[in-house]
Amino acid sequence: MTNVLVTGGAGYIGAHTCVALVEAGYSPVIYDNFHNSSADVLDRIEAICGRRPVLVQADVRDRAALDRTFADHRIQAVIHFAALKAVGESAAIPVDYYSVNIGGTLTLIEAMKAAGVRSLVFSSSATVYGEPASVPVRETFPLSATNTYGRTKLMGEMILEDLARAEPDWRIARLRYFNPFGAHESGLIGEDPHGVPNNLGPYIAKVASGELDQVSIFGDDYDTPDGTGVRDFIHVMDLAEGHIAALQGIAASPGLMTVNLGTGKGYSVRELIHAFEQASGQAIRFTIAPRRPGDVAQSYADPTLAENLLGWKARRGIQEMCRDTWRWQRRRSGAEA
Ligand code: NAD
Ligand code: WQD
């Protein structure tokens, strides 16, 4: 069985990917310091798939802990999720963002080199496209960053590009996620942001459950069909399965691949609110607020490369994302057993 080190494996996308890994016959080893997650997720992963991943509680910048982990668990490949990811926070504490996202990635690569592990799947983001000149967004589009978080992802990508050029025996996938949303269909795992959510999906879910009063729509005067921002929301389990496809893809051929993970379909902020109302049966109050600085009008993927290269495409739609998020939200707020 292939042992896969999953840094940040207790987090939102990481936990879902661990479920998908177990289901695909891999053995995940979660490596997380619980900066933005907690150990409960291990119980839930076990409840869903009947196996409990190994846990190493440590920081991705801790070289000695990484070395021990590679030695103890015969790791064959790594999926690197561990990062700080809040755009607003990244402006306030940039050094922390560079330390974890860049320092952590470099330390991990050094530990991989020392351990002779050369297979790496890296969490990148559609944020690396900056303000895309057109949609759908293809992997060949020019890259730029409009905030510190985005710069860390762009730099992470560049480091991997240089590494792949210098050492062609590495097998690296850079996966550019669009807007992950949804939860596992069991409702046992999902996104659990601390405090007031920054992202639209979790915010809407908290308004539906009554935890928050109303959602502010950041601008209704964009050049989009209904004036609100358009995004490519992708079900987190589709995203998780994309990582399995990427692991298989890099196992089949060495080198560097860079792939969008999105559905190819854009939904507006208003459409997402409406879909969540339908899935939850709750009215969602909203107000129109000014545009949020740095936001782009629309962003959705051209997912053709993922299908051609990895044989992967998103299977779940917006209704499933809303339904599963609502199930998770209700379980968490104790409305369901
Ligand atoms: P998350 O915060 O839920 O998960 C990240 C995990 O990394 C958490 O469990 C956290 O505790 C852990 N972590 C943070 N710092 C660490 C450190 N120094 N050492 C060890 N573990 C550490 O975030 P997520 O949404 O699951 O995102 C996973 C990855 O995907 C990140 O790299 C993120 O930048 C990227 N990404 C996320 C989105 C999104 O919208 N969620 C979009 C594009 C890309
Ligand atoms: C989506 C749409 C907002 C909140 C961010 C990061 C990106 C990636 C995913 C990590 C926009 C609107 C939002 C609200 C709103 N993360 N909105 N009211 O900005 O596309 O991407 O998360 O890599 O890097 O930038 O996602 O969910 O914040 O916003 O109207 O309360 O919802 O204006 O149009 P975004 P988001």
Side-chain angles (χ1 to χ4, degrees):
M1 203 177 280
T2 307
N3 293 341
V4 180
L5 183 71
V6 187
T7 75
Y12 173 46
I13 306 169
H16 292 83
T17 301
C18 286
V19 169
L21 282 166
V22 172
E23 283 169 355
Y26 293 87
S27 273
V29 174
I30 293 179
Y31 186 103
D32 203 302
N33 68 352
F34 299 130
H35 174 82
N36 194 34
S37 53
S38 71
D40 314 347
V41 78
L42 273 291
D43 298 335
R44 312 226 181 143
I45 294 171
E46 188 177 7
I48 292 170
C49 53
R51 276 216 13 235
R52 191 178 185 82
V54 173
L55 170 68
V56 178
Q57 185 176 345
D59 194 297
V60 73
R61 294 164 292 181
D62 182 342
R63 174 66 193 275
L66 282 171
D67 286 347
R68 275 196 304 278
T69 306
F70 281 105
D72 290 350
H73 300 288
R74 298 194 335 277
I75 301 296
Q76 286 136 293
V78 178
I79 307 180
H80 180 36
F81 292 108
L84 304 180
K85 64 158 184 176
V87 172
E89 185 185 66
S90 76
I93 49 168
V95 176
D96 295 47
Y97 272 68
Y98 287 114
S99 174
V100 175
N101 297 8
I102 304 299
T105 300
L106 287 172
T107 308
L108 174 67
I109 292 168
E110 284 163 359
M112 289 177 70
K113 278 168 75 101
V117 178
R118 297 277 185 278
S119 297
L120 175 63
V121 177
F122 175 70
S123 292
S124 188
S125 166
T127 194
V128 299
Y129 294 116
E131 175 118 34
S134 63
V135 280
V137 178
R138 285 195 302 278
E139 288 83 352
T140 50
F141 276 25
L143 305 179
S144 68
T146 53
N147 56 68
T148 301
Y149 167 73
R151 276 187 280 283
T152 68
K153 288 290 155 184
L154 202 48
M155 288 177 194
E157 285 209 3
M158 289 169 171
I159 290 166
L160 296 177
E161 197 168 316
D162 287 345
L163 173 63
R165 196 176 299 116
E167 301 183 22
D169 59 331
W170 278 74
R171 297 163 185 269
I172 300 172
R174 303 185 298 188
L175 303 181
R176 294 179 179 155
Y177 316 152
F178 279 69
N179 288 62
F181 187 39
H184 189 264
E185 63 173 15
S186 62
L188 285 170
I189 52 174
E191 188 168 17
D192 196 2
H194 297 311
V196 177
N198 302 302
N199 293 116
L200 179 64
Y203 203 108
I204 290 176
K206 285 190 185 246
V207 175
S209 72
E211 276 174 62
L212 293 171
D213 195 39
Q214 61 178 2
V215 57
S216 296
I217 296 181
F218 297 147
D220 69 348
D221 57 352
Y222 283 106
D223 185 15
T224 59
D226 68 17
T228 66
V230 168
R231 295 291 184 274
D232 187 338
F233 298 101
I234 172 169
H235 196 294
V236 66
M237 281 310 298
D238 278 326
L239 197 58
E241 288 162 10
H243 291 73
I244 311 303
L247 277 180
Q248 291 164 350
I250 59 175
S253 65
L256 175 70
M257 60 169 80
T258 307
V259 184
N260 285 341
L261 294 184
T263 67
K265 184 157 173 39
Y267 284 92
S268 73
V269 173
R270 276 186 195 275
E271 285 174 320
L272 189 69
I273 293 174
H274 184 63
F276 209 92
E277 283 184 323
Q278 287 188 321
S280 65
Q282 306 295 312
I284 294 168
R285 293 185 53 205
F286 64 85
T287 182
I288 306 299
R291 291 183 180 191
R292 186 173 63 181
D295 274 354
V296 302
Q298 45 182 347
S299 164
Y300 54 90
D302 180 339
T304 315
L305 186 65
E307 189 167 4
N308 291 346
L309 206 59
L310 304 176
W312 171 92
K313 68 176 187 184
R315 296 184 289 128
R316 301 161 178 90
I318 201 85
Q319 285 302 333
E320 283 142 301
M321 296 179 219
C322 294
R323 179 199 68 195
D324 296 338
T325 301
W326 182 235
R327 195 173 285 143
W328 155 246
Q329 177 71 38
R330 302 239 310 153
R331 267 190 184 262
R332 236 170 0 129
S333 40
E336 238 176 57

